[in-house]
Amino acid sequence: MKKHNFSAGPCILPEEVLQKASEAIINFNDDNLSLIEISHRSKPFVDVIENARSLALELLGLENKGYTALFLQGGASNQFLMTAYNLLNKKAAYLNTGTWSSKAIKEAKLFGELIEVTSSKDKDFNYIPKNYTIPTDVDYFHCTSNNTIYGTQMKNFPKTEVPLICDMSSDIFSRQLDFSKFDLIYAGAQKNMGPAGTTLVIIKDDILGKVERVIPSMLSYQAFIDKESMFNTPPVFAVYTSMLTLEWLKNLGGIPFIEKVNKQKSALLYAEIDRNSLFKGSVIKEDRSHMNATFNITSEALKNKFDTLWKQADINGLDGHRSIGGYRASMYNALPLYSVQALVDVMQELERIS
């Protein structure tokens, strides 16, 4: 039986996706060729990437609404750079809620003036700032919807007159939102959609062409739009596996279905964290992430015992990020409810024997 995989990324993937992807490595489309040895210009793979792009827009409710879906390389970290390169003409506003938004700010400063509208750094990023004002004279406003390291999640997004840009790497396709309010969304596949190696970018077509600088081709959204995401050789396996995951999600009932499951999982785990005196959540309750639950053990003397118990229970990936320690349970779309129950059982067992 497969381990209960709470890894923050690369993420857990559905069993049927892993099965189909592994079969394609040996024999893709019954052509007696591997997926990773066919031409990326061949019709079988062009069909794959077109289907993946179409599914992304369909699941987000953005079909025929002036958006383009791209599968790019370089991870979300490259998008910190690309968004600014393509969109920052003079000045941009950023919300700082953790490590990844801090890195996005660092990259954007290379291209223009940056306004940090507010930050939760004062309390080690354990909350999402609220009631801030976004300037109207900026080129765009950038935020991070879910903070994988700290376990916070934006439950509401600001109304703004300027383009809204969002890094949704760790909660893309996990909950219902009005995605049409965003002008650009990007997400590394390895957090909730597929294997490492590709990044999904959803971009509103009319926000481009407004910067004065010359943009190198490999960093130009327009270059990839013009070539239908095939400006250069795409990461074929990562795109194919992402396509399979999107098909799996659609067949389940799409985002409305998976959101209900995700809320069940997070409610189960947070209820135990709050009930069990041996554990304490790291984030204020109203800003807790449904994807990444961060918590600590209240007695360091029990840490070794707890670590032994969850590893014996075939649980994987529960250690917190190396920068903050503690524990982190990542409950991405493909994680089953019974895996969360297995973790809760271990937490209750620790309480029983302590």
Side-chain angles (χ1 to χ4, degrees), residues 257-268:
F257 173 85
I258 207 67
E259 181 181 42
K260 293 178 182 178
V261 177
N262 289 333
K263 285 183 176 180
Q264 284 181 294
K265 293 185 294 190
S266 62
L268 176 61

Side-chain angles (χ1 to χ4, degrees), residues 294-305:
T294 54
F295 59 98
N296 291 292
I297 196 162
T298 56
S299 172
E300 280 297 310
L302 294 174
K303 186 180 187 309
N304 288 339
K305 187 179 293 185

Side-chain angles (χ1 to χ4, degrees), residues 62-321:
L62 295 177
E63 286 181 300
N64 304 313
K65 291 186 177 180
Y67 287 82
T68 297
L70 302 172
F71 282 92
L72 306 181
Q73 299 177 59
S77 294
N78 199 51
Q79 294 308 306
F80 303 157
L81 174 68
M82 278 188 77
T83 52
Y85 223 141
N86 286 262
L87 303 176
L88 204 171
N89 199 34
K90 294 182 179 179
K91 184 166 55 176
Y94 278 67
L95 177 65
N96 189 357
T97 53
T99 299
W100 304 115
S101 53
S102 297
K103 291 186 176 184
I105 289 169
K106 178 183 177 182
E107 297 299 319
K109 283 181 177 178
L110 299 173
F111 299 95
E113 182 184 349
L114 258 290
I115 298 173
E116 189 174 296
V117 293
T118 189
S119 171
S120 52
K121 189 175 182 179
D122 61 320
K123 294 186 179 179
D124 295 323
F125 298 115
N126 75 342
Y127 72 100
I128 298 292
K130 301 165 186 72
N131 302 317
Y132 49 87
T133 300
I134 299 171
T136 57
D137 63 342
V138 294
D139 298 314
Y140 62 85
F141 170 71
H142 179 286
C143 59
T144 303
S145 60
N146 187 82
N147 296 284
T148 324
I149 293 176
Y150 296 95
T152 60
Q153 185 176 42
M154 294 181 70
K155 302 301 168 57
N156 298 291
F157 293 85
K159 293 181 180 179
T160 174
E161 299 176 15
V162 302
L164 179 57
I165 314 300
C166 190
D167 176 358
M168 292 191 184
S169 289
S170 51
D171 65 351
I172 189 75
F173 301 115
S174 71
R175 56 174 171 161
Q176 297 182 86
L177 295 170
D178 178 5
F179 293 98
S180 66
K181 73 190 299 181
F182 300 95
D183 295 86
L184 189 148
I185 297 166
Y186 62 89
Q190 75 277 6
K191 294 294 186 183
N192 205 30
M193 185 174 60
T198 192
T199 303
L200 174 66
V201 175
I202 307 290
I203 186 166
K204 198 170 187 177
D205 299 331
D206 64 9
I207 67 168
L208 297 177
K210 299 176 182 179
V211 297
E212 300 171 357
R213 70 179 63 87
V214 176
I215 304 171
S217 297
M218 279 297 293
L219 295 173
S220 168
Y221 289 128
Q222 193 63 57
F224 281 90
I225 290 173
D226 291 344
K227 296 297 183 180
E228 299 180 321
S229 208
M230 299 272 279
F231 179 78
N232 70 324
T233 305
V236 293
F237 181 74
V239 172
Y240 177 69
T241 309
S242 295
M243 182 203 74
L244 293 178
T245 305
L246 296 177
E247 288 180 337
W248 167 82
L249 179 57
K250 179 181 177 180
N251 292 336
L252 282 178
I255 295 176
F257 173 85
I258 207 67
E259 181 181 42
K260 293 178 182 178
V261 177
N262 289 333
K263 285 183 176 180
Q264 284 181 294
K265 293 185 294 190
S266 62
L268 176 61
L269 180 54
Y270 284 126
E272 180 60 24
I273 290 171
D274 292 339
R275 184 206 64 81
N276 194 324
S277 62
L278 301 183
F279 299 95
K280 183 178 181 180
S282 307
V283 172
I284 67 170
K285 291 184 179 181
E286 65 185 45
D287 294 330
R288 284 173 166 176
S289 168
H290 292 300
M291 294 284 97
N292 311 99
T294 54
F295 59 98
N296 291 292
I297 196 162
T298 56
S299 172
E300 280 297 310
L302 294 174
K303 186 180 187 309
N304 288 339
K305 187 179 293 185
F306 180 55
D307 290 347
T308 298
L309 286 174
W310 61 261
K311 290 173 183 177
Q312 288 176 343
D314 275 341
I315 290 173
N316 174 71
L318 201 61
D319 288 317
H321 190 269

